Amino acid sequence: MIDFQSLARLARREVRRKQARSRFPSIAQTTLPILFANSFPKSGTHLLTQILAGFTRLAPFSVAGLEPVRSFEGESGRLRQPATLARELQRLKPGDISYGHVLAYFETLPLLTAEGMAAFFIYRDPRDVVVSHVHYVTEINPQHVHHRYYIEELSNFDQRLETSLRGLPEARNPFPDIRARFEPYLPWLQRPAIHSLRFEDLVEQPDAAMQAILAFVRSRGFDLHISDDEAQKALMTGIDPQQSPTFRSGKSGAWRVAFQPQHKELFKSLAGDLLIQLGYETDHNW
């Protein structure tokens, strides 16, 4: 069956690439790396993609406009085949800017670390992630596969937060607990060819985060023709968190208000040393 929507996206991508080349005729598009924003869901994906879109002001980069590369189906929540993700990643061309939620599979690891790819992995305090997940499922996305369950079967925020922590392993469309959800992404943190960054650093230390992003893209083959200060301003220009469909407060630490003592204990029992691995805590006494 012909997917006319995908064909249309590909055609529009080529138009954008041609327009980008016309803006920077002296820079060969084929010499540019692919910019790819990978993330753990609810961790600032849209904020990072807005920053990467700023590279269109520096060189013939262009936002690909293709479907995000997601490890899970949007409607059903089912796990997608690694080979399918690999094919979608292989559609990207030099100078494309794209994003997704891609697990560190055997098939995807070499693609996002390959020469000519500048891939980022953004993550966030998992405690804030589960709070954001509750708001997303119940308030922001009524089409979410678990929306009705959260609204009809769970009577209050505390129950919903507990469910976002525990997961729904026995449901028709299951999802695992917070630790199990994060684990398949952890290998990205061990790859020098991936630039890992925290959502909190983008929000709280944007200047340092921008400098690190620029340095990483340069290390992946981009020859910056202007000063770092000018480039940093270009990246900052497009940031508008209010345009993100999942953005609520843009702040870290919301879990401190949302978590009751039982949620803290449940998180600790499920997540183990995850917060220590990610650098959010030094021990379990939080």
Side-chain angles (χ1 to χ4, degrees):
M1 182 177 178
I2 299 175
D3 186 345
F4 289 104
Q5 189 174 33
S6 294
L7 291 175
R9 286 179 181 271
L10 289 168
R12 289 193 292 270
R13 191 260 299 263
E14 292 309 312
V15 171
R16 284 190 286 270
R17 288 178 60 82
K18 184 177 180 180
Q19 291 171 339
R21 290 193 297 270
S22 69
R23 292 196 301 272
F24 298 91
S26 64
I27 303 176
Q29 201 171 46
T30 54
T31 65
L32 300 177
I34 297 165
L35 305 183
F36 190 83
N38 190 26
S39 69
F40 185 79
K42 314 268 70 65
S43 295
T45 316
H46 290 277
L47 181 58
L48 178 57
T49 54
Q50 287 175 358
I51 292 169
L52 296 186
F55 279 92
T56 62
R57 302 177 181 88
L58 306 177
F61 288 98
S62 61
V63 176
L66 305 180
E67 280 289 321
V69 184
R70 295 190 178 101
S71 291
F72 297 89
E73 293 179 359
E75 293 184 2
S76 68
R78 294 190 185 93
L79 193 64
R80 302 177 71 218
Q81 292 298 314
T84 301
L85 305 181
R87 286 195 298 272
E88 292 176 356
L89 290 171
Q90 288 168 335
R91 292 188 305 181
L92 298 174
K93 298 182 178 183
D96 276 354
I97 302 171
S98 192
Y99 73 96
H101 308 302
V102 182
L103 301 180
Y105 287 127
F106 175 80
E107 294 86 347
T108 56
L109 275 165
L111 293 175
L112 288 187
T113 57
E115 184 177 350
M117 175 69 77
F120 298 80
F121 175 62
I122 186 169
Y123 58 100
R124 186 180 190 180
D125 188 324
R127 293 166 294 192
D128 279 333
V129 167
V130 291
V131 173
S132 180
H133 180 260
V134 173
H135 288 289
Y136 181 71
V137 174
T138 58
E139 302 166 13
I140 297 174
N141 185 7
Q143 304 305 315
H144 193 281
V145 65
H146 297 120
H147 174 74
R148 288 189 62 182
Y149 180 85
Y150 270 60
I151 294 297
E152 298 176 4
E153 302 297 326
L154 305 175
S155 59
N156 56 52
F157 179 86
D158 286 350
Q159 291 181 1
R160 292 162 187 153
L161 181 56
E162 181 175 331
T163 300
S164 289
L165 284 164
R166 289 186 184 278
L168 287 170
E170 305 303 325
R172 180 178 179 182
N173 295 297
F175 71 98
D177 66 60
I178 183 59
R179 171 79 194 203
R181 298 206 296 278
F182 210 108
E183 265 187 336
Y185 291 92
L186 287 174
W188 294 124
L189 300 175
Q190 310 303 320
R191 299 285 166 159
I194 301 289
H195 181 64
S196 296
L197 69 163
R198 304 195 310 179
F199 169 79
E200 294 83 0
D201 293 335
L202 273 181
V203 173
E204 298 166 11
Q205 304 174 51
D207 290 343
M210 295 294 174
Q211 291 170 10
I213 288 171
L214 282 167
F216 175 69
V217 176
R218 280 200 302 269
S219 76
R220 303 301 290 174
F222 176 46
D223 185 14
L224 187 62
H225 294 82
I226 61 176
S227 71
D228 280 5
D229 285 345
E230 291 177 287
Q232 188 172 322
K233 289 177 183 176
L235 300 190
M236 295 285 285
T237 299
I239 296 178
D240 183 5
Q242 298 299 334
Q243 294 301 312
S244 168
T246 60
F247 183 86
R248 291 189 309 109
S249 66
K251 299 177 182 178
S252 57
W255 69 269
R256 298 181 187 278
V257 176
F259 273 43
Q260 300 301 314
Q262 69 269 22
H263 298 126
K264 291 183 181 181
E265 294 308 311
L266 178 59
F267 185 97
K268 291 176 183 181
S269 69
L270 294 170
D273 64 352
L274 179 62
L275 294 178
I276 298 171
Q277 285 182 267
L278 298 178
Y280 288 104
E281 299 290 349
T282 57
D283 55 39
H284 297 285
N285 298 318
W286 51 269

